[in-house]
Short mmCIF file of all heavy atoms in Angstrom, two decimals:
data_model
loop_
_atom_site.label_atom_id
_atom_site.label_comp_id
_atom_site.label_asym_id
_atom_site.label_seq_id
_atom_site.Cartn_x
_atom_site.Cartn_y
_atom_site.Cartn_z
N ASP A 193 -1.20 -3.47 -16.14
CA ASP A 193 -2.21 -2.35 -15.81
C ASP A 193 -3.05 -2.72 -14.60
O ASP A 193 -3.39 -1.95 -13.87
CB ASP A 193 -3.03 -1.90 -16.97
CG ASP A 193 -2.22 -1.08 -17.96
OD1 ASP A 193 -1.04 -0.86 -17.78
OD2 ASP A 193 -2.86 -0.62 -19.03
N SER A 194 -3.28 -4.07 -14.48
CA SER A 194 -4.11 -4.46 -13.29
C SER A 194 -3.26 -4.14 -12.04
O SER A 194 -3.92 -3.61 -11.00
CB SER A 194 -4.52 -5.97 -13.35
OG SER A 194 -3.31 -6.67 -13.18
N ALA A 195 -2.00 -4.48 -12.02
CA ALA A 195 -1.12 -4.21 -10.91
C ALA A 195 -0.91 -2.77 -10.60
O ALA A 195 -1.10 -2.19 -9.40
CB ALA A 195 0.18 -4.88 -11.07
N ILE A 196 -0.79 -1.98 -11.69
CA ILE A 196 -0.56 -0.54 -11.59
C ILE A 196 -1.85 0.13 -10.94
O ILE A 196 -1.72 0.92 -10.04
CB ILE A 196 -0.20 0.13 -12.82
CG1 ILE A 196 1.28 -0.32 -13.24
CG2 ILE A 196 -0.19 1.66 -12.73
CD1 ILE A 196 1.74 0.11 -14.62
N ALA A 197 -2.99 -0.20 -11.49
CA ALA A 197 -4.32 0.43 -11.09
C ALA A 197 -4.52 0.05 -9.66
O ALA A 197 -5.04 0.95 -8.81
CB ALA A 197 -5.36 0.05 -12.06
N ILE A 198 -4.50 -1.26 -9.26
CA ILE A 198 -4.70 -1.57 -7.90
C ILE A 198 -3.71 -0.98 -7.02
O ILE A 198 -4.16 -0.38 -5.92
CB ILE A 198 -4.57 -3.20 -7.78
CG1 ILE A 198 -5.76 -3.83 -8.46
CG2 ILE A 198 -4.57 -3.58 -6.29
CD1 ILE A 198 -5.68 -5.33 -8.62
N GLY A 199 -2.50 -0.77 -7.37
CA GLY A 199 -1.50 -0.24 -6.46
C GLY A 199 -1.84 1.25 -6.46
O GLY A 199 -1.58 1.93 -5.37
N GLN A 200 -2.21 2.06 -7.51
CA GLN A 200 -2.51 3.36 -7.27
C GLN A 200 -3.74 3.59 -6.45
O GLN A 200 -3.72 4.56 -5.73
CB GLN A 200 -2.82 4.00 -8.80
CG GLN A 200 -1.56 4.07 -9.61
CD GLN A 200 -1.92 4.58 -11.05
OE1 GLN A 200 -2.94 4.31 -11.63
NE2 GLN A 200 -0.99 5.24 -11.67
N CYS A 201 -4.76 2.72 -6.54
CA CYS A 201 -5.88 2.85 -5.61
C CYS A 201 -5.38 2.66 -4.09
O CYS A 201 -5.80 3.32 -3.30
CB CYS A 201 -6.90 1.81 -5.97
SG CYS A 201 -8.00 2.38 -7.23
N ILE A 202 -4.68 1.59 -3.96
CA ILE A 202 -4.06 1.46 -2.63
C ILE A 202 -3.37 2.57 -1.99
O ILE A 202 -3.59 3.08 -0.79
CB ILE A 202 -3.18 0.13 -2.43
CG1 ILE A 202 -4.00 -1.00 -2.75
CG2 ILE A 202 -2.52 0.02 -1.12
CD1 ILE A 202 -3.24 -2.33 -2.88
N VAL A 203 -2.52 3.19 -2.89
CA VAL A 203 -1.81 4.29 -2.30
C VAL A 203 -2.56 5.61 -2.07
O VAL A 203 -2.44 6.37 -1.19
CB VAL A 203 -0.43 4.60 -3.22
CG1 VAL A 203 -0.86 5.49 -4.46
CG2 VAL A 203 0.64 5.45 -2.49
N GLN A 204 -3.61 5.72 -2.89
CA GLN A 204 -4.63 6.86 -2.75
C GLN A 204 -5.45 6.54 -1.39
O GLN A 204 -5.61 7.51 -0.73
CB GLN A 204 -5.55 6.98 -3.90
CG GLN A 204 -4.85 7.64 -5.17
CD GLN A 204 -5.89 7.75 -6.24
OE1 GLN A 204 -7.03 7.89 -6.01
NE2 GLN A 204 -5.46 7.85 -7.54
N ALA A 205 -5.86 5.37 -1.26
CA ALA A 205 -6.62 4.94 0.01
C ALA A 205 -5.81 5.16 1.21
O ALA A 205 -6.33 5.58 2.23
CB ALA A 205 -7.20 3.66 -0.15
N LEU A 206 -4.53 5.06 1.16
CA LEU A 206 -3.62 5.05 2.36
C LEU A 206 -3.39 6.54 2.74
O LEU A 206 -3.09 6.85 3.89
CB LEU A 206 -2.25 4.42 2.06
CG LEU A 206 -2.21 3.00 2.01
CD1 LEU A 206 -0.77 2.53 1.56
CD2 LEU A 206 -2.37 2.39 3.45
N GLY A 207 -3.61 7.52 1.91
CA GLY A 207 -3.47 8.97 2.09
C GLY A 207 -2.01 9.19 2.60
O GLY A 207 -1.09 8.80 1.92
N ASP A 208 -1.86 9.82 3.82
CA ASP A 208 -0.48 10.20 4.28
C ASP A 208 0.01 9.04 5.00
O ASP A 208 1.13 9.13 5.66
CB ASP A 208 -0.52 11.40 5.13
CG ASP A 208 -1.38 11.30 6.42
OD1 ASP A 208 -2.01 10.19 6.67
OD2 ASP A 208 -1.52 12.28 7.10
N LYS A 209 -0.69 7.86 5.14
CA LYS A 209 -0.23 6.64 5.79
C LYS A 209 -0.09 6.76 7.30
O LYS A 209 0.61 6.02 8.04
CB LYS A 209 1.15 6.07 5.17
CG LYS A 209 1.13 5.93 3.66
CD LYS A 209 2.52 5.60 3.20
CE LYS A 209 2.46 5.44 1.56
NZ LYS A 209 2.31 6.67 0.89
N ALA A 210 -0.76 7.61 7.75
CA ALA A 210 -0.74 7.94 9.26
C ALA A 210 -1.36 6.75 9.98
O ALA A 210 -2.41 6.30 9.67
CB ALA A 210 -1.49 9.28 9.67
N GLY A 211 -0.65 6.16 11.01
CA GLY A 211 -1.12 5.17 11.80
C GLY A 211 -1.13 3.75 11.21
O GLY A 211 -1.62 2.77 11.94
N ILE A 212 -0.60 3.58 10.04
CA ILE A 212 -0.56 2.22 9.54
C ILE A 212 0.61 1.40 10.18
O ILE A 212 1.57 1.96 10.65
CB ILE A 212 -0.34 2.17 8.04
CG1 ILE A 212 0.90 2.78 7.55
CG2 ILE A 212 -1.54 2.92 7.35
CD1 ILE A 212 1.30 2.49 6.03
N GLY A 213 0.51 0.04 10.06
CA GLY A 213 1.48 -0.80 10.49
C GLY A 213 2.85 -0.72 9.75
O GLY A 213 3.99 -0.73 10.27
N ARG A 214 2.69 -0.36 8.40
CA ARG A 214 3.82 -0.04 7.45
C ARG A 214 4.57 -1.43 7.06
O ARG A 214 4.77 -1.58 5.88
CB ARG A 214 4.80 0.88 8.09
CG ARG A 214 6.05 1.11 7.16
CD ARG A 214 7.01 2.11 7.59
NE ARG A 214 8.32 2.04 6.86
CZ ARG A 214 9.31 2.93 6.99
NH1 ARG A 214 9.19 3.96 7.85
NH2 ARG A 214 10.33 2.77 6.36
N TYR A 215 4.91 -2.23 7.98
CA TYR A 215 5.61 -3.41 7.73
C TYR A 215 4.76 -4.66 7.69
O TYR A 215 3.76 -4.75 8.51
CB TYR A 215 6.81 -3.71 8.69
CG TYR A 215 7.85 -2.60 8.65
CD1 TYR A 215 7.77 -1.53 9.47
CD2 TYR A 215 8.83 -2.68 7.82
CE1 TYR A 215 8.64 -0.49 9.57
CE2 TYR A 215 9.76 -1.74 7.81
CZ TYR A 215 9.75 -0.59 8.68
OH TYR A 215 10.78 0.36 8.60
N GLY A 216 5.07 -5.66 6.88
CA GLY A 216 4.34 -6.89 6.90
C GLY A 216 5.16 -8.08 6.53
O GLY A 216 6.12 -7.84 5.73
N GLU A 217 4.95 -9.27 7.14
CA GLU A 217 5.61 -10.39 6.58
C GLU A 217 4.74 -11.63 6.87
O GLU A 217 3.89 -11.69 7.68
CB GLU A 217 6.87 -10.53 7.34
CG GLU A 217 6.70 -10.68 8.91
CD GLU A 217 8.07 -10.80 9.68
OE1 GLU A 217 8.92 -11.67 9.13
OE2 GLU A 217 8.32 -10.05 10.53
N ALA A 218 4.97 -12.68 5.96
CA ALA A 218 4.09 -13.85 6.09
C ALA A 218 4.81 -15.02 5.43
O ALA A 218 5.48 -14.85 4.33
CB ALA A 218 2.80 -13.55 5.42
N HIS A 219 4.81 -16.15 6.03
CA HIS A 219 5.20 -17.39 5.50
C HIS A 219 3.82 -18.04 4.94
O HIS A 219 2.75 -17.96 5.70
CB HIS A 219 5.80 -18.39 6.39
CG HIS A 219 7.27 -18.03 6.75
ND1 HIS A 219 7.71 -17.03 7.48
CD2 HIS A 219 8.36 -18.65 6.15
CE1 HIS A 219 8.92 -17.04 7.49
NE2 HIS A 219 9.43 -17.77 6.69
#
């Protein structure tokens, strides 16, 4: 539930995702 709730908040905050980088990668 910690992961689901954090994830739901992130997707709500992203809205329609306009202008985001979309991709990410890291070593």
Side-chain angles (χ1 to χ4, degrees):
D193 283 4
S194 72
I196 290 173
I198 290 170
Q200 288 176 332
C201 275
I202 289 172
V203 81
Q204 285 185 25
L206 284 170
D208 65 2
K209 305 179 182 66
I212 66 169
R214 176 175 167 176
Y215 297 94
E217 59 180 310
H219 284 81

